[in-house]
Amino acid sequence: MPEIRLSKLTKRYGAVEVLHGIDLEMAENEFTVLVGPSGCGKSTTLRMVAGLETVSGGEIFIGGNPVSHLDPKDRGLAMVFQDYALYPHMDVAHNISFALRLQRRPKAEIEAKVREVAEVVGLTEFLHRKPGALSGGQRQRVAMARALAKDSDIFLFDEPLSNLDAKLRGQMRAELALMQQRVRKNMIYVTHDQVEAMTLADRIVVMHGGHIQQQGTPETLFKQPANRFVAGFLGSPPMNFLEAELISEGDTLFARGEGFSVAIPAERSRTLQSRNGSVILGIRPSDLNYDQDAPENEAIDLRVIVSEYVGAQSVLLCSCGNSNVTVELKSETPIALGETLRFAIRPEGIHLFDQESTAAL
């Protein structure tokens, strides 16, 4: 499968620049997810790769060859859209085979390909149904099968699950992951849903304001976010942020703010000793553990405001000074509203960000 490379890719609409010189390489057989809030440039990037948007600057390379001057049909791509774009008067088999019939492929070849991709996406028993007789998830599978039937080297997905309900989205995420394992193609997937990004991607590319904020494996981005935006965007519930001051006392460095004073682990302190001053302390809700006996400088005291029961887990909304802090813990933990409880902070769960640049320290 070809490598895909974006070199200083820029997009302008009149005087407004919406993509600012993006550099990105996607390896063979990689499932790359572009994720970010609305307006960050992820769909524009995908449409430029597809040839549906013109390139204002830079170049797109597929297999080492520049393609920005090529028509979409000449790029060797298949695309799955958000709205399915199925032909309502055709049955599933004819929707899947539409591109092959336009290419005047032999009838036996078309029938064999339809059966093959229908089996991959679980549509074998629905081949003679019209789209109107299918569920949303089944229609989305037809759109994916139609893309697979083209036997392209690269598949592009533009928020394909956003029209589905929560249960179907979970089911389709699993089916997409299985499909990637079976077909082993390059896939670029656009979504604003960080859960889809975390569960599907080999590589996540987080975008914001037309720039790439960080890229890497889901685990790397979750555990080692490059800045406050990435830290707050990935993870559910999102990371807590508290204003603090870095203060040295003897050999120990503390992040101290309203209602807390947390010791920074020794190995981190050595790299931060010269950095006294204002910072943002970041703590994920899952890195707070209920422990009334925890040492004061390794914990934070929180007053419980709201408790949300979500099955095996409970999500607590707590107050710390004038800030709100979210905590995730096992639902059987005895919690009373209005109580002030101590939560130990996992040392590896302490994140520090610069107040001005928001970059991770």
Side-chain angles (χ1 to χ4, degrees):
M1 296 302 108
E3 179 186 75
I4 306 163
R5 181 164 63 90
L6 313 182
S7 177
K8 304 190 185 314
L9 196 64
T10 302
K11 179 63 181 177
R12 300 183 191 88
Y13 294 101
V16 179
E17 187 170 283
V18 296
L19 281 181
H20 312 289
I22 285 179
D23 290 307
L24 179 63
E25 292 185 10
M26 291 161 268
E28 296 182 11
N29 297 333
E30 189 172 62
F31 198 128
T32 304
V33 177
L34 307 182
V35 66
S38 296
C40 71
K42 57 188 185 296
S43 288
T44 301
T45 302
L46 189 78
R47 291 174 65 83
M48 290 168 75
V49 173
L52 302 177
E53 293 277 0
T54 57
V55 172
S56 302
E59 186 55 84
I60 300 165
F61 297 90
I62 296 178
N65 300 312
V67 300
S68 63
H69 64 286
L70 297 179
D71 290 335
K73 64 182 177 61
D74 298 322
R75 299 191 183 194
L77 309 170
M79 188 162 182
V80 179
F81 296 93
Q82 179 179 345
D83 60 0
Y84 316 144
L86 303 179
Y87 296 103
H89 63 286
M90 296 182 187
D91 63 18
V92 169
H94 281 82
N95 266 285
I96 292 173
S97 64
F98 183 74
L100 303 179
R101 287 184 285 113
L102 282 181
Q103 297 169 4
R104 300 188 183 279
R105 299 278 188 90
K107 184 177 180 181
E109 179 187 335
I110 291 174
E111 290 176 352
K113 193 65 180 178
V114 168
R115 286 195 301 270
E116 178 189 337
V117 298
E119 185 177 347
V120 168
V121 299
L123 286 172
T124 304
E125 61 185 286
F126 303 105
L127 289 175
H128 298 296
R129 289 195 191 181
K130 300 283 182 64
L134 302 176
S135 68
Q138 289 164 345
R139 287 196 292 270
Q140 188 57 272
R141 285 204 290 270
V142 176
M144 291 178 187
R146 182 177 56 193
L148 286 172
K150 290 183 65 178
D151 206 24
S152 301
D153 292 333
I154 299 166
F155 292 91
L156 309 178
F157 297 88
D158 190 7
E159 304 202 38
L161 308 186
S162 60
N163 290 336
L164 306 180
D165 62 39
K167 183 178 179 180
L168 268 178
R169 279 201 303 272
Q171 179 184 333
M172 290 301 299
R173 281 201 306 268
E175 291 181 7
L176 270 169
L178 287 171
M179 187 180 79
Q180 159 69 350
Q181 293 173 21
R182 294 181 68 174
V183 301
R184 301 308 299 167
K185 303 278 189 178
N186 289 341
M187 297 187 180
I188 307 176
Y189 187 102
V190 162
T191 183
H192 62 272
D193 187 332
Q194 54 94 18
V195 175
E196 286 180 28
M198 295 290 286
T199 54
L200 287 173
D202 296 320
R203 179 209 302 262
I204 295 177
V205 179
V206 181
M207 299 184 67
H208 182 51
H211 295 277
I212 292 176
Q213 300 292 314
Q214 188 177 2
Q215 57 175 299
T217 65
E219 183 177 10
T220 297
L221 268 62
F222 186 79
K223 292 183 177 180
Q224 301 168 26
N227 55 42
R228 177 174 175 172
F229 177 81
V230 175
F233 192 82
L234 295 179
S236 182
M239 183 180 283
N240 300 296
F241 297 107
L242 299 167
E243 294 186 359
E245 296 284 328
L246 282 183
I247 298 171
S248 296
E249 291 187 0
D251 295 332
T252 306
L253 187 66
F254 291 87
R256 187 167 292 163
E258 188 176 1
F260 65 91
S261 182
V262 177
I264 306 301
E267 62 274 14
R268 296 278 305 282
S269 293
R270 284 190 287 272
T271 63
L272 293 167
Q273 280 292 355
S274 62
R275 204 175 164 100
N276 289 3
S278 298
V279 295
I280 297 292
L281 172 65
I283 309 169
R284 293 202 182 278
S286 55
D287 286 327
L288 291 163
N289 300 313
Y290 174 54
D291 184 356
Q292 290 294 90
D293 299 321
E296 185 176 354
N297 64 358
E298 297 175 9
I300 187 167
D301 294 331
L302 303 172
R303 186 172 68 86
V304 181
I305 303 172
V306 176
S307 175
E308 297 179 341
Y309 177 82
V310 288
Q313 299 291 113
S314 286
V315 177
L316 307 181
L317 178 63
C318 308
S319 65
C320 177
N322 291 323
S323 301
N324 289 334
V325 175
T326 303
V327 180
E328 193 176 36
L329 75 170
K330 293 182 178 179
S331 55
E332 62 263 25
T333 307
I335 298 294
L337 298 185
E339 260 189 304
T340 298
L341 305 174
R342 177 160 293 182
F343 293 89
I345 305 170
R346 294 173 63 237
E348 59 271 31
I350 294 174
H351 300 267
L352 296 171
F353 304 94
D354 185 86
Q355 276 268 21
E356 294 185 7
S357 70
T358 75
L361 302 177

